[in-house]
Amino acid sequence: SAVISQKPSRDICQRGTSLTIQCQVDSQVTMMFWYRQQPGQSLTLIATANQGSEATYESGFVIDKFPISRPNLTFSTLTVSNMSPEDSSIYLCSVDIGDSPPEAFFGQGTRLTVV
Amino acid sequence: GQQLNQSPQSMFIQEGEDVSMNCTSSSIFNTWLWYKQEPGEGPVLLIALYKAGELTSNGRLTAQFGITRKDSFLNISASIPSDVGIYFCAGQLSGTYKYIFGTGTRLKVLA
């Protein structure tokens, strides 16, 4: 398994502002994933972040709204830009650990409330 | 985004009862994972399944990878109050590295 730490664990933000969420892993991983979990809902993949290349976004998510950085093999950030109340969700960082096949592990999540 | 059909949506059971939940899809999956999520936490991996027909146990939990590769189920035997939470299945589509998550089963155990 892996220890995945996210910061902040929660925040309340004003609409129109931006929040950057950090994800730190205790081992080097090739791919890191960012998910959104809207209130009472399941997890939806936002994007896949690889070191040294631009993140790959899923349908319905764009780089201008959710810019992602991946400066090294143990760290990534997700920014939620120009926030509105509809962005209130839990944002989760995930990594795949192991081979043949890998298993997905999650951080504890960042609970974002936009007012 | 795409999601797996998971049922039941919620369950209220008495302590000591067995629980069964399942996920179905029209797509074929290479891997099935089952997670439990408690309030304020991220999902925690319970069981991983890699082969069609595979039956795997983890304590009181048993999960199976459907023979058609389009479904999976999770059983919890002799439920206890700490089993309370939301259970998610996740499937990895054939030919991709991404996981698609089920809609979740919210479990409540009455002591």
Side-chain angles (χ1 to χ4, degrees):
Chain A
S1 65
V3 176
I4 305 168
S5 302
Q6 278 186 241
K7 284 196 275 190
S9 58
R10 58 176 60 227
D11 208 342
I12 301 173
C13 301
Q14 295 288 328
R15 69 176 67 201
T17 63
S18 298
L19 175 72
T20 295
I21 302 167
Q22 299 179 2
C23 180
Q24 178 77 52
V25 188
D26 68 343
S27 57
Q28 294 185 338
V29 294
T30 303
M31 289 193 286
M32 296 178 76
F33 305 89
W34 287 99
Y35 288 83
R36 181 177 72 184
Q37 186 176 25
Q38 294 176 301
Q41 302 296 314
S42 185
L43 285 72
T44 300
L45 182 63
I46 297 172
T48 303
N50 293 332
Q51 189 213 3
S53 63
E54 214 167 76
T56 304
Y57 289 82
E58 297 301 305
S59 176
F61 298 96
V62 294
I63 188 171
D64 290 347
K65 176 66 176 178
F66 297 102
I68 288 172
S69 79
R70 182 78 201 274
N72 58 53
L73 291 174
T74 63
F75 187 80
S76 178
T77 67
L78 169 76
T79 299
V80 186
S81 303
N82 188 24
M83 288 183 284
S84 67
E86 293 70 36
D87 294 320
S88 298
S89 293
I90 300 171
Y91 292 86
L92 293 148
C93 171
S94 172
V95 303
D96 283 354
I97 298 293
D99 298 312
S100 309
E103 297 171 353
F105 292 89
F106 286 84
Q108 83 278 16
T110 297
R111 183 179 294 271
L112 171 62
T113 302
V114 183
V115 297
Chain B
Q2 189 177 357
Q3 288 185 335
L4 296 170
N5 298 317
Q6 187 171 343
S7 65
Q9 189 174 36
S10 62
M11 301 180 75
F12 290 78
I13 62 170
Q14 292 288 334
E15 183 177 1
E17 289 184 354
D18 296 344
V19 173
S20 185
M21 59 192 79
N22 68 81
C23 277
T24 61
S25 174
S26 57
S27 301
I28 291 176
F29 292 92
N30 281 343
T31 302
W32 284 96
L33 305 178
W34 282 93
Y35 291 88
K36 178 187 178 187
Q37 186 177 28
E38 298 186 34
E41 302 292 328
V44 174
L45 182 63
L46 300 173
I47 291 182
L49 302 160
Y50 304 117
K51 297 179 186 175
E54 180 181 356
L55 184 71
T56 297
S57 293
N58 177 9
R60 293 179 296 107
L61 278 59
T62 302
Q64 184 157 28
F65 194 142
I67 197 71
T68 65
R69 296 171 63 193
K70 295 182 180 180
D71 61 345
S72 177
F73 73 75
L74 174 70
N75 285 343
I76 305 172
S77 62
S79 58
I80 59 178
S82 61
D83 290 333
V84 165
I86 305 175
Y87 291 80
F88 291 101
C89 64
Q92 187 178 48
L93 282 169
S94 179
T96 78
Y97 54 81
K98 303 177 200 176
Y99 284 96
I100 298 172
F101 279 77
T103 47
T105 295
R106 189 178 297 269
L107 178 64
K108 295 202 174 179
V109 180
L110 306 174

